[in-house]
């Protein structure tokens, strides 16, 4: 009797397994996407973030959801990544929304605006301050949606051929800078140039531009800017914490099973943290190397900082007067920024300032 019961139970289990296997397979469809980046392969932290994201998605789906990553220029030029996703030429992209302020200036807030948030504040605004709804509301016009996938932290002000001593030194300066920061600097006499990352070095070398900002010491060293410009300024007040995004075609995103969408969200968030942690690790030694190579580190003169601050908020007021999406984003950012800065002064700033003053005492 026991033997017959065992055989019967085994047969039932096998039959159940035979039925369940196809059902499981159906919930794990094979999906192949292409991701085009706005950044070259040589920038291994930024482009590496896209690769890290793709690897995490593949691992979480046992290889059934594959995302092939392409650096800028292999499929489309870096500054056309959003358009490629919008038209469905590729399924997704790694890019910075402030590259597309020509479509709508409100998209600047997705990456970060001059004298705006630091990296943590930007992240908080996206998830808890209405940032996601505002930016994706604009992007919906172009048939795409987005989520954070990387942050550089506070950036450097860039390499300059000549030393800056006053606001007058900015007049006529041809400066490679992306996003709305260029419009702010234009109010101070700068001639902003939006140039894709891979083209920055040759433009500075040829003298077609006088200065260039990109990210921070690690990437700036890779671009070789120290070879063609001597003065290295800080801070990059136009990018206190530049957020990058995974931008996806709406139809492709909607076609994913819900659990694949959840995997994408979690992989993008993990890649976001990976990028910021990597920059915090590699920037300090890169800065030391640049100084050893002869770069002259300079803080922006206080007069330039104050003029930039005044020009930024003048520009914001002008744009907000005619652009409802920009005004919505600006009002949201200003309200949260006022709260965040008080808290930051009490907590993070006080703690960090003490540690900086105490450096070398232990």
């Amino acid at each position: 009797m026991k033997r017959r019961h065992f055989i019967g139970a085994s047969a039932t289990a096998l039959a159940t397994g035979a039925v369940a296997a196809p059902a499981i397979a159906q919930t794990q469809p094979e999906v192949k996407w292409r991701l085009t980046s706005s950044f070259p392969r040589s920038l291994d932290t930024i482009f590496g973030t896209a690769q890290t994201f793709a690897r995490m998605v593949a691992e979480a789906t046992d290889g059934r959801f594959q995302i092939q990553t392409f650096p800028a220029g292999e499929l489309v030029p870096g500054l056309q990544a959003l358009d490629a996703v919008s038209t469905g030429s590729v399924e997704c992209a790694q890019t910075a929304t402030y590259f597309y302020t020509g479509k709508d200036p409100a998209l600047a807030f997705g990456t970060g605006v001059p004298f705006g948030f630091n990296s943590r504040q930007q992240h908080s605004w996206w998830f808890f301050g209405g940032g996601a709804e505002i930016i994706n509301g604009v992007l919906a016009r172009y048939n795409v949606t987005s989520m954070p996938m990387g942050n550089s932290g506070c950036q450097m002000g860039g390499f300059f051929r000549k030393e800056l001593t006053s606001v007058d030194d900015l007049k006529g300066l041809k400066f490679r800078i992306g996003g709305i920061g260029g419009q702010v600097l234009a109010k101070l006499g700068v001639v902003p140039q939006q140039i894709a990352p891979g083209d920055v070095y040759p433009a500075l070398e040829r003298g077609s531009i006088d200065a260039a900002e990109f990210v921070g010491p690690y990437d700036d060293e890779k671009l070789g800017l120290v070879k063609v410009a001597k003065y290295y300024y800080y801070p990059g007040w136009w990018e206190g914490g530049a957020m990058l995004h995974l931008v996806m075609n709406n139809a492709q995103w909607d076609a994913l099973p819900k659990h694949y969408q959840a995997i994408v969200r979690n992989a993008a968030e993990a890649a976001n943290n990976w990028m910021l942690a990597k920059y915090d690790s590699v920037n300090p030694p890169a800065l030391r190397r640049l100084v050893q190579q002869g770069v002259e580190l300079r803080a922006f003169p206080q007069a330039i900082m104050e003029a930039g601050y005044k020009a930024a908020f003048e520009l914001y007021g002008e744009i907000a007067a005619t652009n409802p999406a920009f005004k919505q984003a600006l009002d949201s950012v200003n309200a949260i920024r006022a709260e965040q800065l008080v808290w930051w002064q009490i907590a993070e700033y006080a703690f960090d300032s003490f540690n900086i003053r105490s450096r070398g005492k232990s």
Side-chain angles (χ1 to χ4, degrees):
M1 289 293 293
K2 290 182 180 179
R3 181 173 180 273
R4 287 197 298 272
H5 176 76
F6 173 77
I7 292 171
S10 299
T12 300
L14 287 171
T16 302
V19 171
I24 293 171
Q26 288 170 10
T27 64
Q28 291 279 102
E30 289 193 3
V31 177
K32 294 185 184 298
W33 276 14
R34 293 178 301 166
L35 179 153
T36 185
S37 177
S38 289
F39 306 95
R41 191 182 300 275
S42 59
L43 298 177
D44 61 328
T45 301
I46 297 183
F47 187 68
T49 298
Q51 294 173 311
T52 297
F53 160 74
R55 186 185 70 250
M56 290 176 176
V57 170
E59 289 173 352
T61 60
D62 292 327
R64 298 186 71 84
F65 188 175
Q66 296 284 339
I67 301 176
Q68 190 174 4
T69 57
F70 296 88
E74 284 197 7
L75 294 181
V76 295
L79 299 181
Q80 294 178 22
L82 177 61
D83 293 326
V85 177
S86 177
T87 61
S89 299
V90 295
E91 290 79 13
C92 62
Q94 175 202 37
T95 192
T97 59
Y98 77 171
F99 288 156
Y100 312 102
T101 53
K103 296 181 183 296
D104 193 306
L107 292 175
F109 289 96
T111 303
V113 297
F115 301 103
F117 292 134
N118 65 24
S119 59
R120 277 177 51 187
Q121 293 163 353
Q122 178 78 11
H123 201 248
S124 176
W125 173 72
W126 181 269
F127 286 104
F128 298 103
E133 293 78 13
I134 293 169
I135 299 304
N136 281 329
V138 175
L139 290 176
R141 305 174 202 160
Y142 305 99
N143 193 36
V144 302
T145 191
S146 72
M147 60 186 64
M149 194 175 74
N151 197 302
S152 67
C154 189
Q155 299 189 7
M156 291 292 287
F159 282 89
F160 291 71
R161 290 180 176 275
K162 296 180 180 179
E163 188 173 10
L164 303 176
T165 59
S166 70
V167 178
D168 288 340
D169 292 331
L170 298 176
K171 293 177 180 176
L173 187 83
K174 291 176 290 184
F175 186 23
R176 183 273 176 191
I177 180 169
I180 205 167
Q183 293 176 255
V184 172
L185 283 165
K187 282 181 164 285
L188 305 181
V190 169
V191 183
Q193 310 286 313
Q194 181 147 296
I195 302 173
D199 300 325
V200 173
Y201 179 88
L204 192 59
E205 183 182 39
R206 290 193 305 266
S208 56
I209 57 176
D210 304 305
E213 64 82 36
F214 186 56
V215 181
Y218 183 72
D219 286 337
D220 292 350
E221 181 185 34
K222 282 183 171 293
L223 290 179
L225 303 182
V226 66
K227 300 174 184 176
V228 289
K230 180 179 180 180
Y231 298 100
Y232 198 29
Y233 277 87
Y234 68 90
W237 44 264
W238 42 84
E239 288 172 324
M243 178 180 278
L244 303 186
H245 287 81
L246 172 69
V247 176
M248 298 168 290
N249 180 274
N250 276 335
Q252 296 293 333
W253 170 247
D254 292 341
L256 290 178
K258 294 299 182 185
H259 65 291
Y260 274 19
Q261 291 183 349
I263 287 169
V264 168
R265 289 192 190 95
N266 284 294
E269 185 64 15
N272 184 80
N273 294 332
W274 181 92
M275 178 174 164
L276 187 56
K278 173 79 181 293
Y279 271 129
D280 284 342
S281 174
V282 298
N283 274 330
L287 182 59
R288 285 197 300 272
R289 291 192 299 270
L290 286 171
V291 171
Q292 289 167 359
Q293 293 173 49
V295 73
E296 295 198 19
L297 200 58
R298 295 282 190 275
F300 280 120
Q302 187 68 16
I304 289 180
M305 296 290 289
E306 291 175 357
Y309 188 92
K310 182 175 182 290
F313 285 91
E314 284 180 355
L315 177 67
Y316 301 158
E318 293 165 5
I319 300 174
T322 59
N323 186 301
F326 190 94
K327 185 178 187 305
Q328 182 187 17
L330 179 64
D331 290 346
S332 173
V333 165
N334 281 345
I336 293 173
R337 181 173 172 272
E339 293 286 341
Q340 287 277 1
L341 290 178
V342 173
W343 166 242
W344 218 263
Q345 182 178 9
I346 291 170
E348 306 287 343
Y349 178 77
F351 177 75
D352 291 343
S353 295
F354 178 83
N355 275 343
I356 291 169
R357 292 193 305 271
S358 302
R359 184 180 55 183
K361 291 183 179 179
S362 58

